[in-house]
Amino acid sequence: MAKTLVIVESPAKAKTLGKYLGSQFKVKASVGHLKDLPKSKMGITIKGGKFTPEYTVIRGKQKVLSDLKKAGETADRILLASDPDREGEAIAWHIAEELRSVNDNIFRVLFNEITKRGVKEAIEKPTTIDKKKFDSQQTRRLLDRIVGYELSPLLWRKVRRGLSAGRVQSVAVRLVVEREEEIKAFVAREYWTIETTLGAKTPPPFGARLMRVSGEKASIETGDVARAIVDELKVLPCVVANVETKERRRNPTPPFTTSKLQQEAARKLRFTAKRTMGIAQKLYEGIELGEEGPTGLITYMRTDSVRTADEALLAVREYVAATYGKENLPDEAIKYKTKKSAQDAHEAIRPTAMEWTPERVKPFLEEPDFKLYQLVWNRFVASQMKPAVYDQTTVDVKAGKYDLRATGSTLKFPGFMSVYMEDADDTAVRDVRDDDEGAHDDALPAVAVGEELNLLEVKPDQHFTEPPPRYTEASLVKELEERGIGRPSTYAAIMSVIVDREYVAKLENRFSPTELGTLVTGLLVKSFPSILDVEFTAQVEERLDDIEEGTVGWQNVLGDFYRPFHEQIQKANVEMRNVKAEEIPTEHVCEKCGKPMVIKWGRNGSFLACQGYPECKNTKEFRRNEDGSIRIVVDEPTNEKCPTCEAPMVLKRGKFGRFYACSRYPECTGRKSISTGVKCPDDGGQGELVEKMSRRGKAFFSCNRYPDCKFALWDRPVARPCPTCGAKFLVQKYTKKFGAQVKCANKECGYVEAAAEAAGEGAEAGAGDSKAAS
């Protein structure tokens, strides 16, 4: 009979552990949390400045608890092996509370990796439950419950029933809203650069950019000034003023932390944070590897440390030497420094054993699982390889008062780059003038100081400054981490909830605030400036860390938060704008009863309604013009026939954009989507791309099999294959600089044509929509 009961969260983890533990161990799963705050009420008693939570067994978990108690009665000891983080500590705490009545010989074990060695080491070193870690998790849970239960009802009364607000999610939405405001307020500025092609005594010709004029940074605002400089340069001698050659090194990046894994998986694999963490959990808990059975392939995936165990460093160095040669192996193992704010309780995310190469485990993994494992593997291997080495040459050229510069670089030694390179986000405002290296070439010819060069070509290039881009999942996770908002383990849930609750929309992998998100953020920022303050939210995270470290009591943290928050709630109940009751007058008049039409707020956003409601129930969709005035969206007649009754159909605009509706509505409710005639590229051609509309009134195009397929893009698809790369369709884009253009849907392909060339493909009809989407 088993003498030790081991309790984990998941059945998959239990199965893997069962492989390593003998008959003296019985492994059972709690299937997540057993106890939580009740769903029917706040579940926190606040009296005399003290907070008392009321935990109850989660509905449906009573049988699991009974089974665990029964198993615990006959065991010599109980080992609680939930995940080694705050959430796992809370699971262990509540299990211990319930099982102590049948067996009080309870210990805690922590698995950083679920391998034979990792399991054996943990079992041999059982510890006690960390109360301070539990207190930290409990404080976060109570804070979130208090905010949700006091703030959400306020939004129900003032905006719309069913809305919710969260301590961290609302700050994340605020970041998205403020980025959108930056984009709207951005005014593109014209600027010019001067690009030259120069010839030396030896080939090849090379490019150089004007960098300075009379010793000052070149700042050319108009085409007239640029052309005047071009005319001057054409008659001036170009002489080499300085040549500098130096060796540059690019160091490898550390192995993954949780947030870095989420960011890279979003950039390279287009995985959501939620998907990334789900796959990582599977890889940690164990994958069936044929005769080997269930095997944990990566270390624990919720970590903010870049530390690696010495034995793992030894193994990866042996692998690098054997696979890539000793010339790629540093003299000593590289030990990365973990940032001060990190908890450093666990190692970085890495493969558990170098014997499980991606190629070896590929037959046992689903494609997404393999891609993520390969990403973890490559990053870890590259982190213990030599830097890449470049030879970089900078040539400064003098032409009168004008200074030009060319930079050439050649890769001399690839080092870690032969295995892995980290992608970058486009988070900065782009301005060519910020590049101090001038024009770039792969290699420059040999030139000498004083050598006169031939000016083969000089041309002015027009540019416009660009607004900051909308956040992607990767860049929003990065922003949250850098600002100290939330914890890496919470980012996946944040990304999901702000989309699910319709505060932001995600198109082409970028977040845009919805009308609802913008409205609610504005109301919350005005009434709860501290709760929505980024720095305040980061300070709360620091206080949670302090609780875990034992430097502050959890009751004190809750009290410091609750007192001002509750006062703001009471004030907002009286002073917050009541959007639900608002009726904003307009110049429009109801054609049915002659009364004024007013703007009201409903479940699907703002709309026009007759002021005579409920006697007159006339409503209209509307759009705002640039000057702030509104225009009514009218139904347009079409040549389409209703699929139900064959009556003519009209073009309507609803919650999800334009669609065809039967003109006999409400007698007939026939309707159909507006198809672009382009097959969806993401679901094997089962669906078609149809026109939709975002909550901000922007046209976009998505698969008609949503939610089974979530492919979407802003640009109007054109039903023609790319003549250059063979991509299945083109897209119509609109920019201020080039107007309407038709481009390849594959962003890596440079094919482009004027929109007029797409005649017969709906280009003219879509120009306005594409402009709006841009």
Side-chain angles (χ1 to χ4, degrees):
M1 181 177 289
K3 294 182 179 180
T4 300
L5 172 64
V6 181
I7 302 176
V8 297
E9 302 103 315
S10 76
K13 189 174 177 182
K15 187 176 181 181
T16 307
L17 281 176
K19 166 187 167 184
Y20 300 121
L21 299 174
S23 60
Q24 295 298 303
F25 293 84
K26 187 175 197 176
V27 187
K28 297 187 77 69
S30 68
V31 196
H33 283 271
L34 281 182
K35 298 173 74 174
D36 196 6
L37 298 172
K39 285 191 173 183
S40 58
K41 57 182 179 179
M42 185 163 76
I44 305 169
T45 301
I46 305 171
K47 189 174 182 180
K50 297 295 182 181
F51 301 80
T52 306
E54 176 192 335
Y55 292 107
T56 60
V57 177
I58 297 170
R59 186 176 180 181
K61 290 295 184 74
Q62 194 62 56
K63 185 178 185 305
V64 175
L65 178 57
S66 297
D67 290 344
L68 293 179
K69 282 186 175 181
K70 187 175 180 181
E73 286 176 351
T74 57
D76 290 343
R77 63 172 180 165
I78 300 173
L79 301 182
L80 303 177
S82 47
D83 283 351
D85 57 13
R86 291 175 186 169
E87 207 68 27
E89 212 68 23
I91 292 172
W93 181 276
H94 290 306
I95 292 174
E97 271 188 334
E98 292 295 323
L99 268 59
R100 202 165 275 124
S101 61
V102 299
N103 189 334
D104 63 357
N105 197 26
I106 298 174
F107 300 92
R108 181 85 165 99
V109 290
L110 306 173
F111 299 132
N112 181 58
E113 59 183 61
I114 303 180
T115 60
K116 186 174 183 179
R117 176 176 53 82
V119 170
K120 182 181 178 183
E121 288 179 359
I123 294 293
E124 290 175 351
K125 297 176 182 178
T127 182
T128 57
I129 297 174
D130 188 338
K131 185 178 186 303
K132 294 192 289 290
K133 186 176 284 188
F134 165 70
D135 287 342
S136 178
Q137 187 277 343
Q138 176 172 247
T139 306
R140 179 190 295 277
R141 184 74 183 97
L142 299 191
L143 282 172
D144 293 343
R145 175 55 68 98
I146 288 168
V147 171
Y149 259 76
E150 296 213 3
L151 205 51
S152 297
L154 177 67
L155 294 177
W156 287 27
R157 291 192 297 274
K158 301 288 188 177
V159 184
R160 191 182 83 191
R161 187 172 180 82
L163 292 182
S164 68
R167 184 179 57 85
V168 178
Q169 79 175 47
S170 297
V171 178
V173 175
R174 180 179 184 177
L175 293 177
V176 176
V177 169
E178 289 181 344
R179 176 57 59 87
E180 195 71 17
E181 290 171 351
E182 284 183 67
I183 294 170
K184 282 186 174 181
F186 184 85
V187 178
R189 291 189 177 89
E190 178 186 11
Y191 70 96
W192 293 71
T193 58
I194 307 297
E195 308 290 340
T196 67
T197 302
L198 301 171
K201 292 177 181 177
T202 58
F206 62 97
R209 178 179 299 141
L210 175 65
M211 302 300 290
R212 294 183 175 275
V213 179
S214 300
E216 299 292 328
K217 183 178 179 179
S219 181
I220 307 168
E221 307 295 337
T222 67
D224 290 340
V225 173
R227 285 184 283 273
I229 293 173
V230 167
D231 290 341
E232 286 188 58
L233 284 172
K234 285 180 178 177
V235 298
L236 289 171
C238 296
V239 180
V240 177
N242 185 55
V243 180
E244 183 181 7
T245 299
K246 56 185 177 182
E247 187 179 88
R248 294 189 66 177
R249 292 173 176 264
R250 181 172 178 174
N251 292 318
T253 45
F256 281 127
T257 60
T258 301
S259 64
K260 292 297 184 185
L261 176 63
Q262 292 172 358
Q263 292 170 48
E264 277 291 84
R267 298 184 194 113
K268 291 182 179 292
L269 307 178
R270 297 186 70 180
F271 286 179
T272 63
K274 183 177 181 180
R275 189 181 191 191
T276 296
M277 295 308 291
I279 294 172
Q281 184 87 35
K282 287 167 58 180
L283 295 174
Y284 164 71
E285 291 184 343
I287 299 291
E288 285 283 352
L289 299 182
E291 294 180 359
E292 189 68 25
T295 303
L297 291 178
I298 65 171
T299 53
Y300 190 56
M301 65 287 160
R302 294 187 182 92
T303 177
D304 49 9
S305 172
V306 293
R307 176 174 55 83
T308 301
D310 290 341
E311 57 268 26
L313 289 175
L314 180 63
V316 70
R317 284 173 57 79
E318 289 176 353
Y319 177 83
V320 169
T323 308
Y324 299 101
K326 290 186 177 180
E327 65 274 14
N328 278 289
L329 186 68
D331 293 337
E332 296 180 349
I334 304 171
K335 296 194 175 182
Y336 295 94
K337 291 183 179 179
T338 296
K339 60 184 181 180
K340 289 182 180 179
S341 60
Q343 295 178 28
D344 202 33
H346 315 295
E347 288 186 60
I349 303 169
R350 60 167 176 83
T352 56
M354 299 309 295
E355 65 182 291
W356 300 117
T357 64
E359 295 75 20
R360 186 178 175 191
V361 300
K362 187 174 184 179
F364 306 102
L365 297 178
E366 296 178 7
E367 185 178 1
D369 303 1
F370 169 75
K371 286 181 177 179
L372 193 71
Y373 181 64
Q374 187 177 49
L375 195 69
V376 171
W377 177 279
N378 288 345
R379 174 96 166 204
F380 181 58
V381 170
S383 73
Q384 290 299 321
M385 294 177 68
K386 281 187 176 179
V389 182
Y390 291 86
D391 276 338
Q392 179 171 298
T393 301
T394 302
V395 176
D396 291 319
V397 178
K398 193 79 175 173
K401 63 181 180 179
Y402 302 111
D403 296 327
L404 298 91
R405 173 168 289 180
T407 299
S409 60
T410 55
L411 181 62
K412 188 164 68 172
F413 177 73
F416 78 95
M417 287 173 52
S418 60
V419 177
Y420 180 88
M421 281 184 62
E422 184 176 70
D423 284 1
D425 290 312
D426 54 345
T427 52
V429 178
R430 294 177 59 202
D431 189 326
V432 174
R433 295 170 296 182
D434 293 335
D435 186 351
D436 292 330
E437 295 185 351
H440 292 261
D441 274 299
D442 290 338
L444 299 177
V447 294
V449 174
E451 179 181 341
E452 186 168 338
L453 305 172
N454 295 321
L455 182 65
L456 304 177
E457 183 183 22
V458 57
K459 62 178 181 177
D461 276 357
Q462 184 186 35
H463 307 271
F464 292 90
T465 54
E466 297 180 13
R470 293 183 177 93
Y471 287 111
T472 60
E473 280 219 6
S475 59
L476 185 54
V477 165
K478 182 179 180 182
E479 188 80 5
L480 292 172
E481 182 185 33
E482 289 180 348
R483 294 196 181 209
I485 301 167
R487 275 288 169 200
S489 58
T490 66
Y491 294 154
I494 293 170
M495 299 297 115
S496 295
V497 79
I498 62 177
V499 174
D500 293 343
R501 292 179 179 172
E502 299 184 340
Y503 288 132
V504 304
K506 190 178 180 187
L507 287 167
E508 290 190 324
N509 283 326
R510 294 188 180 273
F511 291 118
S512 295
T514 61
E515 184 181 15
L516 177 65
T518 303
L519 172 68
V520 169
T521 297
L523 294 174
L524 294 180
V525 168
K526 186 174 182 180
S527 295
F528 303 92
S530 60
I531 302 301
L532 269 288
D533 181 68
V534 171
E535 291 186 6
F536 175 81
T537 306
Q539 288 169 6
V540 172
E541 294 297 331
E542 292 174 2
R543 298 295 299 278
L544 294 174
D545 292 342
D546 292 340
I547 293 170
E548 183 173 345
E549 292 168 9
T551 58
V552 66
W554 67 276
Q555 290 278 359
N556 295 335
V557 172
L558 282 170
D560 292 344
F561 175 89
Y562 182 73
R563 284 186 290 274
F565 173 67
H566 189 63
E567 289 172 4
Q568 290 173 343
I569 285 283
Q570 292 174 320
K571 187 177 179 182
N573 275 321
V574 178
E575 297 181 3
M576 181 184 275
R577 172 185 162 202
N578 192 340
V579 178
K580 188 186 283 187
E582 278 182 349
E583 292 186 353
I584 303 172
T586 72
E587 68 274 21
H588 296 279
V589 175
C590 175
E591 76 277 12
K592 293 184 178 179
C593 70
K595 290 184 178 180
M597 298 289 282
V598 294
I599 298 174
K600 298 187 74 172
W601 180 266
R603 183 157 191 82
N604 297 325
S606 52
F607 65 99
L608 279 179
C610 179
Q611 201 172 43
Y613 179 86
E615 288 78 17
C616 180
K617 297 180 180 179
N618 189 19
T619 62
K620 300 283 184 183
E621 293 288 324
F622 72 90
R623 298 285 179 268
R624 288 196 181 275
N625 298 316
E626 290 185 5
D627 61 2
S629 62
I630 65 171
R631 56 185 172 85
I632 294 176
V633 179
V634 297
D635 298 338
E636 301 173 24
T638 73
N639 294 324
E640 297 289 327
K641 297 293 183 182
C642 175
T644 304
C645 70
E646 296 191 349
M649 303 193 84
V650 293
L651 189 62
K652 283 184 170 286
R653 290 169 175 81
K655 176 181 178 182
F656 299 110
R658 301 194 309 170
F659 64 95
Y660 294 126
C662 183
S663 57
R664 293 179 57 243
Y665 179 85
E667 289 81 11
C668 176
T669 57
R671 59 185 293 168
K672 62 182 181 180
S673 298
I674 301 175
S675 175
T676 62
V678 175
K679 294 289 185 182
C680 177
D682 266 19
D683 69 348
Q686 295 181 60
E688 285 190 347
L689 298 184
V690 296
E691 183 178 323
K692 298 281 186 74
M693 186 170 289
S694 74
R695 289 186 175 273
R696 298 184 64 82
K698 293 184 178 182
F700 70 97
F701 305 87
S702 65
C703 183
N704 62 357
R705 294 184 63 249
Y706 177 88
D708 293 331
C709 175
K710 296 183 179 180
F711 179 83
L713 71 164
W714 283 115
D715 303 313
R716 177 177 290 276
V718 177
R720 264 192 305 124
C722 174
T724 301
C725 73
K728 293 181 180 179
F729 63 95
L730 307 173
V731 293
Q732 184 175 333
K733 299 180 76 74
Y734 183 94
T735 62
K736 290 181 179 179
K737 183 175 181 180
F738 298 109
Q741 290 182 315
V742 173
K743 294 187 172 184
C744 181
N746 177 8
K747 293 181 180 180
E748 296 179 0
C749 175
Y751 178 75
V752 61
E753 63 186 43
E757 294 178 38
E761 304 293 345
E764 185 177 347
D769 293 324
S770 291
K771 182 175 181 179
S774 298

